[in-house]
Amino acid sequence: MSCIRAYRRILEKYLNVESISLFWKGRVALYAILKALGIGKGNEVILPAFTCVVVPNALIYLGAKPVYVDVNPQTFNMDVEKIEEKITPKTKVILAQNTFGLSSDLDKIREVADKHGLWVVEDCAHGLGGTYKGCKNGTVADAAFFSTQWNKPFSTGLGGIAVAKDTEVAQRLKELERRAVKPSKREELMLKALLSIREKVVSSDTYWLALKTYRFLSQKNIIVGSSQGYELERPVMPEDFLKGFTQTQAKKGLEYFQKVNGKYRIDLIIRHRKRVANHYKKMLTEFGLEPPYEPDYAEHTYLRFPLLVKDRKKFFHLAEKEKVELGDWFLSPIHPVQKNFELWGYSYGENPIAEFASGHIVNLPTHEKVGDREMERIYSFLKKNKDEIIGCRVPI
Ligand SMILES: Cc1ncc(COP(=O)(O)O)c(C=O)c1O
């Protein structure tokens, strides 16, 4: 059996869904879902004002308009109380994100969606492995996509997975998967090389240098990066955007579904992330700070552990000096865009909570390489700089 076929089967089993479609990246999977739902010119899509720019890009490529909703100060997901005021006769979809591994409150979103006849699509780029009221993320809404990019719950370097409940929509997704452009040999080989470099070279000691080098090379369009420079400059669909999945990605993906002591490796990774997050929660409590809010409707898988700091630039500088790994999701309401927001239909000043969060947030790592030594170093770093920390909740 080809790796792609085996990977597809194991994902279908893991998610307990009839069929999945595979794409080059998560953003391509989102584009395919919206296309399969018939979204196009003149339609509006509601999404959180705390996301990655490639999300509004995907819907703008189809001619739709992004309509941003501010986030909840505790969950960093869309504030469900603020959705309805943004709905117009043109609205077709609500995009519910699993920010940092925490599901949005989908029952409440469903209620609003049903009242207005809208589709609900889960953005599970961060959320594979987590649950909403006991159901796996990605299996509750009408459709969902996952990302298996470098920093996601598990990584195939780049990669996207799309699922849909409606059989006709799922069929259209399959058709789009068949029509997708095959990545070139060069792209596949480069991805293979990057996967191997990442495994062998990147550690907390080399993190900052590796991150800067990777982002520089991908933004200059020199390597197959997760975001090429032009995607961050303007929302114009790149040629061959609808790109398919490769054997290299599938082969890597299958590694996460090998069993260790009767459990899939991906499930052990998720267990590890939650264990690391528990350590961080204890640290914060020791510093007299409240840990992140965990609503009882969801299981938070902590792809990253969010922390708000007073002066992020200074905090990053201190972390880099001490070789402490910190993430920067999200640097702006449409990460990492810093100017020309109007190109993405974003009006700066409209979403104070998301704007505060994106001005002050850092993320602590929870991935497999965070062991006792790293946690000890992070503990010492945070303790030394605890006066720089605001907490886990936007103070507005
Ligand atoms: C919330 C969110 N959604 C979607 C994506 C897109 O995923 P991908 O990089 O696989 O296209 C990202 C990207 O990192 C993301 O952070």
Side-chain angles (χ1 to χ4, degrees), residues 335-365:
H335 177 90
V337 169
Q338 296 296 324
K339 56 179 193 214
N340 301 331
F341 286 94
E342 64 290 349
L343 293 177
W344 287 272
Y346 188 85
S347 170
Y348 215 94
E350 275 190 359
N351 301 293
I353 297 171
E355 286 161 21
F356 185 95
S358 57
H360 293 268
I361 205 159
V362 299
N363 341 124
L364 306 178

Side-chain angles (χ1 to χ4, degrees), residues 305-316:
F305 190 96
L307 203 58
L308 297 155
V309 296
K310 291 176 187 160
D311 181 342
R312 181 171 51 203
K313 206 167 164 200
K314 179 175 162 196
F315 208 74
F316 276 148

Side-chain angles (χ1 to χ4, degrees), residues 119-337:
W119 298 100
V120 180
V121 176
E122 277 182 83
D123 176 345
C124 297
H126 299 185
L128 184 135
T131 58
Y132 177 74
K133 295 190 177 170
C135 299
K136 279 196 170 150
N137 288 345
T139 63
V140 180
D142 298 306
F145 74 98
F146 300 86
S147 164
T148 53
Q149 179 257 17
W150 302 110
N151 303 305
K152 298 305 189 307
F154 75 89
S155 170
T156 57
L158 304 173
I161 303 162
V163 296
K165 279 207 173 130
D166 184 279
T167 39
E168 259 180 49
V169 177
Q171 275 312 316
R172 272 181 241 139
L173 276 173
K174 286 257 162 259
E175 184 51 36
L176 287 164
E177 185 185 356
R178 269 191 294 276
R179 272 174 35 200
V181 177
K182 200 172 170 329
S184 68
K185 270 278 154 252
R186 178 183 165 272
E187 284 172 317
E188 194 169 352
L189 278 174
M190 197 179 284
L191 189 59
K192 207 171 182 170
L194 288 171
L195 279 164
S196 153
I197 292 171
R198 191 206 195 185
E199 205 154 292
K200 297 196 175 91
V201 182
V202 183
S203 67
S204 52
D205 291 336
T206 56
Y207 168 78
W208 286 96
L209 181 64
L211 179 73
K212 284 180 182 175
T213 311
Y214 177 73
R215 284 190 176 169
F216 176 78
L217 293 175
S218 43
Q219 282 170 25
K220 293 276 170 217
N221 308 320
I222 294 168
I223 56 167
V224 285
S226 34
S227 289
Q228 308 297 133
Y230 46 76
E231 295 182 88
L232 314 179
E233 282 161 19
R234 56 193 178 282
V236 176
M237 185 153 129
E239 231 180 277
D240 296 342
F241 177 72
L242 182 64
K243 205 172 270 184
F245 198 69
T246 61
Q247 292 291 343
T248 298
Q249 289 161 294
K251 192 166 170 217
K252 188 73 196 164
L254 282 169
E255 290 177 15
Y256 295 91
F257 292 91
Q258 282 162 1
K259 290 218 167 157
V260 183
N261 298 329
K263 285 204 171 295
Y264 285 136
R265 200 175 135 214
I266 174 63
D267 288 332
L268 297 177
I269 294 174
I270 289 161
R271 192 163 81 188
H272 172 80
R273 290 187 189 279
K274 291 201 289 194
R275 191 173 73 86
V276 175
N278 280 337
H279 275 268
Y280 294 148
K281 286 186 232 167
K282 280 195 205 128
M283 286 179 201
L284 292 180
T285 310
E286 187 192 314
F287 304 155
L289 295 163
E290 239 182 82
Y293 166 67
E294 288 179 13
D296 53 15
Y297 56 71
E299 178 193 356
H300 197 330
T301 45
Y302 286 102
L303 176 65
R304 292 188 173 188
F305 190 96
L307 203 58
L308 297 155
V309 296
K310 291 176 187 160
D311 181 342
R312 181 171 51 203
K313 206 167 164 200
K314 179 175 162 196
F315 208 74
F316 276 148
H317 180 69
L318 293 168
E320 186 172 355
K321 227 169 61 187
E322 296 199 23
K323 295 199 164 129
V324 166
E325 177 181 337
L326 280 185
D328 62 3
W329 292 351
F330 290 118
L331 292 174
S332 95
I334 45 173
H335 177 90
V337 169

Side-chain angles (χ1 to χ4, degrees), residues 100-121:
F100 303 128
L102 176 67
S103 173
S104 293
D105 193 350
L106 292 170
D107 280 353
K108 288 205 176 147
I109 292 177
R110 177 93 265 161
E111 217 179 289
V112 179
D114 283 350
K115 192 167 149 195
H116 297 271
L118 312 176
W119 298 100
V120 180
V121 176

